[in-house]
Amino acid sequence: MDVGFHPAARSSAMAPPNVHFDSANDIEKGNGPVDSYARRDFAYPSPSTPFPSNDPLSPNFGATAHNNISALNLNTPIPPLSLDSTKETPAPEPLPTPDSASSEDVKEKKVDEAQAVVLATLANEEIKKATAEVKHVEVKQPTATPQSGPQATKWVKFLLFFNTYRKLFTLVVILNGVGLLMAALDKFPYARKNNGAFILGNLLMAVMMRNELFLRGVFWVVNKALAKWPPLIIRLGATSVLQHLGGVHSGCAVSGLAWLIYRVVTLCMHAAINHKAVIATGIVTNVAIIISVISAFPWIRNTHHNIFERHHRFIGWLGLLATWVFVLLGNAYDIERRVWDWSGHELIQLQDFYFVLGMTIFIILPWTFTRKVKVDVEIPSNKVAVLRFERGMQQGLLGRISRTSIMEYHAFGIISEGKDAKYHYMVCGVQGDFTRGLVENPPTHLWTRELKFAGVSNTSTLYKRGIRIATGTGIGAALSTCLQNKNWFLIWIGSDNEKTFGKTIANMIENGIEPERRILWDTKKLKRPDTMKLLKDTYDMWGAEVVFITSNLQGNTQMMEGCKMLGIPAFGTLWDF
């Protein structure tokens, strides 16, 4: 349903079954007005009889009354009727009789007059009855459409809670936990001898799962190798794993910390033969990594972003530095001879050295792509800032921006018409101090990493057809996929979208997505839709294989539960970067 941007009617060739264009019925049913802003409705059957209206100008005004009256045989002329329902209808005055009239004519006229009185009385009674019925009809204003579909069961809610992210986290922690337990029980000699490799191996993997360059490589390989030809379940599984690699990141970080604690406890238990400097750096490393891990807990990361960023980043860097010192001192001190050996011959043969070197490279590498770039800011409303940067981008990417070079980086979806486009855009909704500052004090330059990271939409090339549904500012993460791939359908639900988000976004949709590939639902004009019915009808009509969702927490939860209940493969929003 085009709302606000595109008044043109939909192509009937792409219309789903049971599509109709009955604006009067839709308004009366509370589905919102169907005017020049809305030309497509989904499967709302028309009532068999006109719905009564209390608007005198409506063609359905007093529908019940007119139906009842039309059933009467009122062919016989009747005198004018009084519509005052509180008074009885008076008998008509006797008509004057010409002197030349015969007695038979007079009798016939009296009979006709009596019949007219009876018919008039009956008609008045019907009018009073019908009018009473019409008085009790209330035409309600359009409100939020009740959401259809079955309520999510506890099992469905559990499946959505225990998603691939938590499955990967659980798997990694269990495997490491078993190894750690066997090492503590002296059943795993290799781990006892090389526990430094288990510490740094886990920490290296945690770093790689958040590295833009490494992840772009992984996405590229999967998109090239599995595009469209494997069974759908394999492609869905690949998308799910790529979307939830954060579970490996957090699982390896926690496991690495557990191995580090085990290492330091072992050193303390054998403090008599270990140098105090080695033990001290081990403790400092432990403290730094513990703070870094705790600061990344979801309730801190999502509600106190600046605290998370400062501690996770800067304390993490301190932890990396302490890890280098810990590895170098631990290797240099010979516990058998109780002397320091700084030759380094054994160091380059240790796994620990290469693990910590890899961590350092993957942490530093993204910062080498950091640039201060020119930005043009469009402020269509006090709720949104639309940022324009030079050069085009492939679809499915997100970028981090900041006013400073190393602090307060925030991630936003990237809108671009393609790699060869002149510009790419970010839609920033006002939610906190940073985004509010973009509206109140628009910058001319911002810091950003030119190497962007891939989001779930980047796997859209795996599917033959799909639906990208977004609410509000979620259009920033959704639009590129539909602009660059003709096999994807856009559903955008928002309030007065053109006024809120501006002409730039409106024109990109108008010029880049055909009317038969989009539904733009304006909640200000049509109220909130029955989202799951809208989504299910579009899914069936479009022949989609998957749905990608970008919405707030409430909308994401509702749509993910609804899709799970209806058996529609769907991937929702994550707040894990």
Side-chain angles (χ1 to χ4, degrees), residues 183 194 317:
N194 300 280
W317 289 353

Short mmCIF file of all heavy atoms in Angstrom, two decimals, residues 183 194 317:
data_model
loop_
_atom_site.label_atom_id
_atom_site.label_comp_id
_atom_site.label_asym_id
_atom_site.label_seq_id
_atom_site.Cartn_x
_atom_site.Cartn_y
_atom_site.Cartn_z
N ALA A 183 41.70 -30.54 32.43
CA ALA A 183 43.02 -30.03 32.78
C ALA A 183 43.17 -29.88 34.28
O ALA A 183 44.22 -30.23 34.87
CB ALA A 183 43.26 -28.70 32.09
N ASN A 194 50.19 -26.32 27.91
CA ASN A 194 50.04 -25.24 26.92
C ASN A 194 48.77 -24.42 27.16
O ASN A 194 48.08 -24.04 26.22
CB ASN A 194 49.98 -25.83 25.51
CG ASN A 194 51.22 -26.62 25.14
OD1 ASN A 194 52.25 -26.06 24.77
ND2 ASN A 194 51.14 -27.94 25.26
N TRP A 317 42.24 -2.66 25.34
CA TRP A 317 43.59 -2.37 24.84
C TRP A 317 44.63 -2.55 25.95
O TRP A 317 45.73 -3.06 25.70
CB TRP A 317 43.65 -0.93 24.31
CG TRP A 317 42.88 -0.75 23.04
CD1 TRP A 317 42.29 -1.72 22.28
CD2 TRP A 317 42.63 0.48 22.37
NE1 TRP A 317 41.68 -1.19 21.18
CE2 TRP A 317 41.86 0.17 21.20
CE3 TRP A 317 42.95 1.80 22.61
CZ2 TRP A 317 41.44 1.14 20.30
CZ3 TRP A 317 42.52 2.78 21.72
CH2 TRP A 317 41.78 2.45 20.58
#
